[in-house]
Amino acid sequence: MRHDPGPAFRALHIPGNPFILANAWDLGSARMLAAMGAQAIATSSAAHAFTLGRPDMKGASRDEALAHAADLVAAVNLPVSGDFENGYGDAPEDCAETVRLSAEAGLAGLSIEDAAPPDAAAYPADLAAKRIRAASAAARALPRDMVLVARADGVMNGQYDLEEALRRIAAFEEAGADCVYIPLPPDFADLSRICAATRLPVNALVAGPFTAHSRAEFAAAGVARLSLGSALARATHRLIHDAAAEMFGKGSFTKLSESISSDTVDALLAKGAGA
């Protein structure tokens, strides 16, 4: 995408009318998702780590993540957002530098977590807010638009409760975030409470038990954006796992019958390149 993708990406964030932010892990998956109707693509830190043969939270460096994101930007004619863990550093300036580098990579947005790898320990609330404030200041100083998503990951990671997460997203809103995100709150009904607690668009993760709910249900809760995280990549790995277990365990190959034709893939890749 040659022009600034930020405004088009920002316009997709409509509370009560969520778009699906399709997390891809390589050029082929990005182009297939684009061909199938994705309005925007995102990286997934976990899914990208899998392609490198590494576990989540011990995956790519900032340089590797940015290079991967730039490849996806070049692969599709859609806005691309970066899933950039903790901003690749503990200090507020680390987050600011990641924002600036994201713009250079051609990204339309990025997300920054309040959890430090490799053990997902939550940053103190005041530091978490300062990190988002620095990232927001860097984004506003850019010559183009950048959608900054502030993540409160402590509920998902077992570091703090929903009440603390709500306090954190309020602080992130005050610090200048454009969108907030509490992955996998305790109950689906909590999404309505999260959306009511902020004036910002809310991202929800469609993974685990939340896959049982429809887009219409997320819309009714007030959600503006639905991301997949590594769920689609892990679904792909599930097929690899099951087919390999069958082949090497039983000597049979029926799982391979679930594959898609090369002609279909070829057509989607060609379409996705121009989507």
Side-chain angles (χ1 to χ4, degrees):
M1 180 173 285
R2 300 297 183 185
H3 62 283
D4 177 2
F9 187 51
R10 185 177 296 276
L12 293 173
H13 293 72
I14 304 171
N17 185 23
F19 74 101
I20 298 170
L21 181 60
N23 297 82
W25 55 93
D26 60 14
L27 278 65
S29 60
R31 286 184 171 173
M32 287 189 70
L33 289 165
M36 296 294 292
Q39 295 173 281
I41 298 293
T43 66
S44 161
S45 59
H48 180 215
F50 298 161
T51 71
L52 300 172
R54 304 170 193 166
D56 187 20
M57 299 296 285
K58 296 181 181 179
S61 67
R62 178 163 66 185
D63 286 347
E64 289 174 320
L66 286 163
H68 169 63
D71 285 343
L72 297 192
V73 170
V76 296
N77 192 30
L78 292 173
V80 178
S81 185
D83 175 18
F84 287 157
E85 296 185 339
N86 69 328
Y88 301 104
D90 298 328
E93 178 51 35
D94 294 323
C95 297
E97 180 64 9
T98 295
V99 169
R100 291 188 285 267
L101 293 171
S102 295
E104 292 178 10
L107 293 172
L110 76 159
S111 62
I112 293 178
E113 303 168 9
D114 65 346
D119 57 1
Y123 291 109
D126 58 344
L127 176 57
K130 288 177 181 177
R131 286 160 41 82
I132 295 302
R133 189 176 302 279
S136 175
R140 302 296 86 82
L142 294 172
R144 37 156 301 201
D145 198 8
M146 179 70 67
V147 177
L148 173 65
V149 180
R151 293 178 50 152
D153 278 29
V155 175
M156 179 176 67
N157 295 333
Q159 297 287 324
Y160 51 71
D161 61 15
L162 182 60
E163 297 302 323
E164 173 62 16
L166 292 172
R167 286 190 288 270
R168 289 190 177 221
I169 65 168
F172 296 159
E173 179 177 346
E174 193 277 330
D178 298 307
C179 176
V180 290
Y181 181 12
I182 301 175
L184 301 180
D187 189 85
F188 187 84
D190 292 321
L191 286 176
S192 295
R193 185 179 176 197
I194 293 168
C195 293
T198 179
R199 293 170 295 178
L200 297 178
V202 170
N203 184 98
L205 176 61
V206 185
F210 284 63
T211 59
H213 297 275
S214 68
R215 179 185 173 277
E217 289 174 285
F218 284 102
V223 171
R225 183 170 106 175
L226 299 170
S227 59
L228 312 179
S230 62
L232 185 58
R234 286 185 286 106
T236 302
H237 280 73
R238 176 58 182 265
L239 181 56
I240 296 172
H241 171 276
D242 291 353
E246 182 186 56
M247 287 188 294
F248 303 126
K250 300 178 181 178
S252 55
F253 305 91
T254 62
K255 285 292 181 182
L256 298 183
S257 67
E258 299 176 20
S259 65
I260 190 172
S261 76
S262 59
D263 288 345
T264 299
V265 173
D266 290 347
L268 289 171
L269 293 177
K271 181 180 178 181

